[in-house]
């Protein structure tokens, strides 16, 4: 360090060096301004690496891709939010919903258009969203909840497929019928099992009775047939003659 700067504080020394530099080289203070043209915020990084759909095999390999994937995981992907500004040119912008929008019901209980606040008579639409991402054309099947006015804008050029609740009700009816069939089959099986159990118990009881009778026979004393002697037989013969 130069002896002339030894008694100065760090800040005063800095100002002295800058002043000497400007005096010697004849430049202005603007030459010390940092170039911010290449600076990027988190929003810029996410926008560069963002994907509308991340597949399971997509593994982020850079810091920017990891940041974009982390942001993607926080989005809710049941319904979309749309921008219908250029609907007459058949151009519709779509994005997934954030947590705040899900809490207030935007896109499900409120019209999914970015600028619409309608909550009555909403209709569900399913459309094939075609977009270009990083120079590659892709497609995704998404769902929208729109009010009647925004639904007209969405179908301005081509009719989209409307998702109705009748199908889900029909599925519920089918499930109930199948459950009834299952209940009938199960009740039939239960009755068959009960009949089989009753028959088995009857067979077991009859076999037990048979065993008891046989055991009683062996317990009883054998009845000895009194052998008739020849004298008794002769006496009976005479008694029959004299009668």
């Amino acid at each position: 360090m130069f002896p002339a700067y030894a008694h100065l504080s760090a800040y005063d020394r800095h100002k002295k060096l800058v002043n000497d530099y400007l005096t010697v080289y004849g430049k202005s203070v603007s030459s010390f301004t940092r170039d911010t043209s290449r600076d990027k915020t988190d929003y810029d990084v996410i926008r560069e690496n963002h994907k509308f759909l991340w597949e399971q095999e997509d593994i982020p390999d850079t810091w920017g891709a990891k940041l974009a994937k982390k942001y993607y995981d926080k989005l809710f992907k049941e319904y979309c939010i749309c921008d219908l500004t250029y609907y007459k040119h058949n151009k519709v912008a779509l994005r997934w919903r954030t947590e705040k929008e899900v809490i207030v019901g935007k896109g499900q209980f409120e019209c999914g258009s970015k600028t619409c606040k309608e909550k009555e008579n909403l209709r569900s639409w399913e459309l094939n969203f075609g977009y270009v991402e990083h120079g590659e054309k892709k497609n995704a099947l998404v769902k929208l909840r729109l009010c009647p006015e925004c639904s007209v804008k969405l179908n301005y050029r081509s009719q989209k497929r409307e998702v109705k609740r009748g199908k889900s009700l029909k599925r519920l009816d089918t499930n109930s019928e199948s459950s009834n069939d299952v209940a009938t089959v199960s009740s039939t099986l239960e009755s068959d099992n009960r009949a089989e159990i009753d028959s088995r118990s009857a067979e077991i009881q009859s076999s037990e009775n048979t065993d008891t009778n046989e055991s009683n026979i062996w317990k009883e004393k054998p009845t000895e047939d009194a052998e008739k002697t020849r004298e008794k037989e002769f006496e009976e013969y005479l008694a029959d003659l004299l009668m």
Side-chain angles (χ1 to χ4, degrees):
M1 182 182 295
F2 296 104
Y5 301 150
H7 65 283
L8 299 176
S9 63
Y11 179 68
D12 293 336
R13 186 165 55 251
H14 171 72
K15 290 196 299 181
K16 175 66 176 173
L17 291 173
V18 171
N19 187 35
D20 293 344
Y21 178 83
L22 295 176
T23 303
V24 173
Y25 293 100
K27 294 185 178 182
S28 62
V29 180
S30 60
S31 60
F32 289 92
T33 305
R34 190 176 60 85
D35 183 15
T36 59
S37 60
R38 300 180 62 183
D39 290 352
K40 293 181 181 179
T41 62
D42 291 346
Y43 176 78
D44 297 329
V45 175
I46 292 175
R47 187 167 183 172
E48 288 181 0
N49 297 273
H50 177 69
K51 290 184 179 181
F52 188 75
L53 287 175
W54 283 78
E55 303 295 340
Q56 293 183 353
E57 58 271 11
D58 294 339
I59 300 176
D61 53 353
T62 62
W63 176 82
K66 291 179 180 179
L67 184 63
K69 181 64 167 59
K70 188 175 181 180
Y71 172 76
Y72 173 82
D73 293 337
K74 293 182 179 180
L75 299 176
F76 293 82
K77 308 165 190 68
E78 184 179 2
Y79 295 101
C80 283
I81 302 296
C82 66
D83 186 356
L84 299 171
T85 304
Y86 300 100
Y87 72 94
K88 290 185 178 180
H89 302 281
N90 199 24
K91 293 181 179 180
V92 179
L94 296 175
R95 64 171 176 82
W96 300 118
R97 297 186 298 166
T98 61
E99 183 179 3
K100 184 178 180 180
E101 291 171 336
V102 172
I103 292 174
V104 300
K106 180 66 175 176
Q108 184 175 6
F109 305 108
E110 183 178 305
C111 181
S113 179
K114 186 175 69 173
T115 57
C116 184
K117 304 294 183 181
E118 184 63 37
K119 296 183 180 180
E120 300 294 333
N121 301 322
L122 299 182
R123 302 168 68 182
S124 298
W125 299 96
E126 190 175 68
L127 65 150
N128 185 15
F129 178 48
Y131 59 99
V132 178
E133 187 176 77
H134 303 299
E136 182 181 357
K137 189 174 181 180
K138 297 182 179 181
N139 294 83
L141 193 65
V142 298
K143 289 192 294 184
L144 283 172
R145 292 271 291 166
L146 300 176
C147 65
E149 183 179 354
C150 294
S151 297
V152 173
K153 294 180 181 180
L154 179 68
N155 297 282
Y156 182 79
R157 284 294 186 91
S158 61
Q159 181 66 30
K160 308 299 187 297
R161 191 172 76 87
E162 184 175 4
V163 180
K164 297 182 179 180
R165 297 183 63 182
K167 295 183 178 180
S168 60
L169 294 176
K170 187 175 181 181
R171 290 178 182 174
L172 290 176
D173 294 339
T174 305
N175 293 334
S176 62
E177 291 176 359
S178 61
S179 63
N180 292 333
D181 295 339
V182 172
T184 305
V185 172
S186 61
S187 61
T188 305
L189 292 175
E190 288 179 359
S191 60
D192 293 341
N193 291 333
R194 289 177 181 175
E196 185 177 356
I197 291 171
D198 293 338
S199 61
R200 288 183 179 178
S201 61
E203 291 177 359
I204 293 171
Q205 188 174 2
S206 61
S207 62
E208 289 178 353
N209 293 333
T210 305
D211 295 338
T212 304
N213 294 332
E214 292 178 354
S215 61
N216 291 333
I217 291 173
W218 289 105
K219 289 179 180 179
E220 292 178 355
K221 294 182 179 180
T223 56
E224 297 179 355
D225 295 336
E227 296 182 358
K228 295 181 180 181
T229 60
R230 293 179 64 84
E231 294 179 355
K232 288 183 178 182
E233 290 179 356
F234 185 71
E235 289 177 357
E236 290 176 358
Y237 177 73
L238 291 176
D240 292 334
L241 289 176
L242 295 174
M243 287 180 64

